[in-house]
Amino acid sequence: GIVFIRLLKPLEYYEKKYGTPFYASNKMFILMEKMGNRGQDGAGVVNIKLNPEPGHRYISRSRANGQKPVQEVFDHINSRFKTLVKDDPDKLKEPQYLKDNFAFT
């Protein structure tokens, strides 16, 4: 199965409304867990940023095919933010900083 989420509004909107710029990631995790419960044996996530600055990364990909592939994929994605949580947790509330500097945002 394939899950496709497209954010129609900027990350700032989701940070204000839901209290986190990770709304799409959280929603994707829930949808992929449902697919895993229906017998999918692998998982992968691709993130494509719209309107990136020239020279900045615009596509990110993570795949897994283990016992718990969805959990492995999202552990990989979330590991990128663990250092930010330790060093400067206020940056997690700045959607533009996350979009410019981190994959999967």
Side-chain angles (χ1 to χ4, degrees):
I2 296 174
V3 177
F4 177 79
I5 295 178
R6 179 171 182 230
L7 298 180
L8 297 176
K9 300 188 186 246
L11 284 177
E12 291 82 4
Y13 170 83
Y14 298 98
E15 202 280 319
K16 284 181 186 176
K17 183 166 183 173
Y18 300 105
T20 178
F22 301 106
Y23 170 79
S25 180
N26 295 340
K27 185 63 83 175
M28 182 72 76
F29 179 78
I30 292 168
L31 292 171
M32 289 179 69
E33 276 291 313
K34 289 180 181 181
M35 285 189 345
N37 292 338
R38 294 184 179 173
Q40 297 290 326
D41 60 351
V45 173
V46 174
N47 171 262
I48 300 172
K49 296 180 183 185
L50 301 176
N51 305 319
E53 293 291 323
H56 284 85
R57 185 177 184 170
Y58 69 95
I59 191 166
S60 307
R61 177 183 68 153
S62 180
R63 298 181 293 178
N65 190 14
Q67 289 290 339
K68 296 182 179 180
V70 174
Q71 189 65 43
E72 290 175 24
V73 167
F74 282 92
D75 285 345
H76 176 257
I77 292 170
N78 293 332
S79 69
R80 299 172 179 269
F81 303 104
K82 288 181 183 177
T83 56
L84 186 61
V85 169
K86 291 178 187 174
D87 297 341
D88 194 358
D90 293 334
K91 294 279 189 187
L92 287 173
K93 296 289 185 178
E94 295 180 24
Q96 191 60 45
Y97 174 81
L98 293 172
K99 183 179 177 184
D100 293 342
N101 296 296
F102 285 91
F104 296 105
T105 54

